[in-house]
Amino acid sequence: MNNSNENDTVTSMLSKSSLENKSFDTLKAEFYKDQGNQYFKDLKYSKAIESYTLAIENNPNESSYYGNRSFAYLKSEFYGYALSDADKSIELDPKYVKGYYRRASANLALGKFKLALKDYEFVVKTRPNDKDALQKLKECEKICKKIAFQRAIAIDDSLLNKSAWDQIDIEALRISNTEADYTGPKFDSNKITIEFVMELMEHYKQQKVLHKKYAYEILFQIHETLKKTPTLVEIDVASNKKFTICGDIHGQFYDLLNIFKINGIPGEQNGYLFNGDFVDRGSFSVEVIFTLFGLKLVYPDCFFLARGNHESLNMNQMYGFEGEVKSKYSPQMFNIFTEIFNLLPLCHLINSKVLVMHGGLFSKDDVTLQDIRSVNRNRQPPEEGLMCDLMWSDPQYTDGRSSSKRGVGIQFGPDITKKFLEKNSLDYIIRSHEVKQEGYEIMHDGKCITVFSAPNYCDTMGNKGAFINIKGDDLTPKFISYEAVDHPKIKPMAYANSFSLFGLS
């Protein structure tokens, strides 16, 4: 919209009395705020952000505009930006209660629970009759006490080094006869076959649960497999074979089935790489992860799994996977998943020319493939360094580096990508980590590709999913986009922490 038409539109929507009492810039700001609110209600968060930004440009001293944009950033998972806007809203108006809500939510998403607790305490003190704020305060206190307890017991080295497997008698489970009434998929002699995995997918499709005997056996075997897997896995794709790279799945099991329907079941002639964020958000994460682990065990040399930022303890506690595992199995099993996720490789190198990681590139120059190989991945992700960047960073359109919109990792420009590729003799990188309207996006002169495979993310975003096909003799990516399919009436985040991040005010 040009300035003339824009001003006419604003003027036509405002009364003459309003014009007499407010500057035109202030009126324009109110118009854009209202426009942003409507976009927000329509779940068009990127459009809402644009409108709130225009409101701020016309009136940079109104705290609520920053508060509203912070909320839209939260919905877009741009927690770093959300935190910055919340801080600004409070700076402009220290009594702006929604600003404290927004800041608490951003800090929660970043795992900064003590800072979130401080803001909820302020809200409750300011609004003692606000039941929602009181509930959030109590939930946040529980989280902080739980963390403090875990740190206290970790002082004992024997507890610190104790594996979750020490609580499970896998041999007893192997000979257990407790599944007498179980009619689901089974395997003999601890040998997992493609027939078993196909039966398992059908079993899950009917919303049935895999018996714990077989679930623990899969976890035991995948744990043993991943212990032997390097941090950077090298994949050789033969010239006559198709290979597929998928992005985030986020517990959307029925969309995972649709990928296999469109692109074929994995096999020796149909290799796959799933590039992290298998779990959380969607409420069928258990079904997704056991299916992927089963396929990895059947086809260890042509089916690959990378770690995403949601294969981590903080994310799983906040976004549903912990609650889902505890609901369908037990707390002990969730602890085992945490150990297994620590062993997932961080990236994959295809035919020595294409590097695939979940997040992106690095906060410093001159990183080599050998540097990546040397990363100690068997831990929770740190807040900085190579491991953090591989799991959290995002590309930007402008050259250079900037602070992350997420509050973790960095944003890197086309010049950073070019330097990294040249130093390591690579053609391009593939990463995931971000919702894209068509399921993919090509950036940095074709050298940085994003693929995201969870269509209509969280049942709200309206995006397509996508995957990438390549062949060994032609590494040119071919993109296949697809729509979401129906799933049982279980909402995303059904197992998430009762502490809703976004029901703020």
Side-chain angles (χ1 to χ4, degrees):
M1 184 183 294
N2 63 46
N3 287 339
S4 177
N5 290 338
E6 181 182 278
N7 293 344
D8 289 345
T9 302
V10 176
T11 302
S12 67
M13 296 185 68
L14 298 165
S15 68
K16 183 177 179 181
S17 60
S18 295
L19 285 168
E20 291 173 350
N21 295 318
K22 295 183 179 180
S23 72
F24 191 72
D25 284 346
T26 302
L27 293 172
K28 284 171 67 177
E30 283 293 301
F31 167 76
Y32 288 125
K33 180 208 69 174
D34 293 341
Q35 185 183 69
N37 289 348
Q38 187 57 54
Y39 281 134
F40 191 97
K41 290 176 183 177
D42 294 338
L43 309 180
K44 297 177 180 178
Y45 303 121
S46 61
K47 288 287 189 182
I49 290 167
E50 291 175 7
S51 294
Y52 294 141
T53 300
L54 289 170
I56 289 168
E57 288 174 356
N58 282 278
N59 183 5
N61 298 314
E62 173 53 52
S63 60
S64 65
Y65 300 165
Y66 294 94
N68 287 1
R69 191 170 68 175
S70 178
F71 203 2
Y73 279 139
L74 285 168
K75 286 290 191 178
S76 303
E77 301 184 17
F78 298 165
Y79 304 124
Y81 288 175
L83 186 60
S84 178
D85 270 359
D87 281 338
K88 184 65 176 179
S89 71
I90 293 167
E91 176 190 326
L92 290 169
D93 182 0
K95 296 182 180 179
Y96 180 59
V97 175
K98 288 184 179 180
Y100 293 91
Y101 267 119
R102 307 292 186 254
R103 191 165 69 181
S105 184
N107 277 320
L108 278 171
L110 295 170
K112 299 177 181 179
F113 302 111
K114 286 187 177 180
L115 292 175
L117 180 63
K118 185 177 179 181
D119 281 333
Y120 282 128
E121 287 173 341
F122 173 86
V123 174
V124 170
K125 183 178 180 180
T126 306
R127 293 182 175 179
N129 296 322
D130 188 330
K131 294 181 180 179
D132 181 65
L134 183 59
Q135 178 188 1
K136 287 179 171 59
L137 173 63
K138 290 180 178 179
E139 292 290 343
C140 198
E141 287 175 335
K142 288 179 184 178
I143 294 173
C144 290
K145 288 178 181 178
K146 180 178 180 181
I147 292 171
F149 175 74
Q150 290 171 339
R151 287 177 178 168
I153 65 171
I155 294 172
D156 184 336
D157 288 340
S158 64
L159 289 173
L160 182 63
N161 296 320
K162 191 173 183 179
S163 169
W165 283 109
D166 294 338
Q167 302 178 49
I168 305 296
D169 189 341
I170 191 69
E171 292 301 326
L173 279 170
R174 284 173 173 170
I175 62 175
S176 170
N177 293 317
T178 58
E179 80 249 43
D181 297 329
Y182 173 67
T183 58
K186 304 177 182 181
F187 48 83
D188 297 322
S189 304
N190 305 322
K191 177 68 174 177
I192 299 170
T193 65
I194 188 59
E195 289 76 18
F196 166 80
V197 177
M198 295 296 291
E199 289 181 31
L200 178 62
M201 288 191 286
E202 185 60 33
H203 188 70
Y204 280 152
K205 190 176 179 180
Q206 298 171 17
Q207 302 182 68
K208 297 179 180 179
V209 178
L210 177 66
H211 192 279
K212 67 177 182 180
K213 171 180 177 178
Y214 304 105
Y216 275 112
E217 183 64 40
I218 290 172
L219 294 179
F220 178 80
Q221 291 190 29
I222 201 71
H223 186 265
E224 295 302 300
T225 297
L226 293 177
K227 281 198 299 187
K228 304 169 187 174
T229 303
T231 296
L232 189 160
V233 176
E234 299 193 31
I235 302 172
D236 293 318
V237 180
S239 59
N240 62 335
K241 290 186 179 179
K242 179 180 74 172
F243 190 78
T244 300
I245 301 100
C246 298
D248 304 41
I249 298 296
H250 276 300
Q252 296 184 198
F253 174 70
Y254 294 84
D255 293 305
L256 174 64
L257 294 183
N258 192 40
I259 291 173
F260 295 148
K261 179 179 179 181
I262 296 168
N263 195 57
I265 295 295
E268 299 293 341
Q269 301 298 319
N270 194 24
Y272 278 84
L273 164 58
F274 281 84
N275 195 31
D277 280 12
F278 320 123
V279 301
D280 282 339
R281 301 290 195 186
S283 295
F284 306 95
S285 292
V286 164
E287 290 80 356
V288 167
I289 198 64
F290 275 116
T291 298
L292 295 180
F293 280 173
L295 288 166
K296 176 63 180 174
L297 293 171
V298 174
Y299 298 116
D301 299 323
C302 60
F303 190 87
F304 303 92
L305 301 172
R307 189 176 185 180
N309 62 300
H310 276 266
E311 279 70 58
S312 61
L313 182 59
N314 278 351
M315 295 292 104
N316 295 162
Q317 289 174 331
M318 292 301 298
Y319 294 102
F321 187 59
E322 180 185 38
E324 185 178 343
V325 175
K326 288 181 176 179
S327 174
K328 295 177 180 178
Y329 290 101
S330 69
Q332 289 178 335
M333 182 178 284
F334 174 71
N335 293 336
I336 287 173
F337 270 114
T338 298
E339 290 190 15
I340 290 172
F341 288 165
N342 284 351
L343 297 174
L344 285 164
L346 300 182
C347 53
H348 293 75
L349 180 61
I350 302 174
N351 287 13
S352 300
K353 287 297 180 183
V354 180
L355 189 68
V356 188
M357 76 289 287
H358 181 74
L361 297 182
F362 309 102
S363 56
K364 65 178 184 178
D365 291 328
D366 300 324
V367 174
T368 66
L369 297 181
Q370 186 55 43
D371 292 330
I372 298 172
R373 291 186 181 99
S374 301
V375 170
N376 171 25
R377 73 183 191 277
N378 188 6
R379 55 180 171 154
Q380 288 303 302
E383 293 189 3
E384 59 183 14
L386 301 190
M387 183 175 176
C388 173
D389 294 338
L390 285 166
M391 296 172 69
W392 278 97
S393 291
D394 297 290
Q396 63 184 20
Y397 292 102
T398 56
D399 280 349
R401 295 180 175 91
S402 63
S403 299
S404 172
K405 59 192 176 187
R406 301 175 188 271
V408 186
I410 56 110
Q411 294 182 175
F412 60 96
D415 58 327
I416 305 301
T417 299
K418 182 179 179 182
K419 289 177 187 177
F420 176 78
L421 295 177
E422 289 175 349
K423 184 170 185 64
N424 292 282
S425 301
L426 300 171
D427 289 350
Y428 60 91
I429 63 170
I430 297 175
R431 39 91 60 185
S432 302
H433 196 39
E434 289 184 283
V435 181
K436 299 298 178 184
Q437 198 57 37
E438 294 300 314
Y440 69 94
E441 184 177 37
I442 304 169
M443 294 177 65
H444 298 181
D445 299 318
K447 301 301 183 181
C448 177
I449 296 170
T450 298
V451 59
F452 190 87
S453 301
N456 194 26
Y457 180 45
C458 291
D459 288 355
T460 60
M461 298 301 286
N463 61 291
K464 293 180 181 178
F467 53 81
I468 298 171
N469 285 158
I470 60 173
K471 288 191 175 180
D473 57 349
D474 181 6
L475 295 175
T476 302
K478 177 183 178 184
F479 303 96
I480 295 89
S481 294
Y482 49 90
E483 302 282 356
V485 297
D486 291 337
H487 63 74
K489 303 295 184 184
I490 301 175
K491 293 181 179 180
M493 303 282 282
Y495 300 94
N497 196 301
S498 56
F499 200 176
S500 170
L501 285 177
F502 302 127
L504 302 177
S505 57

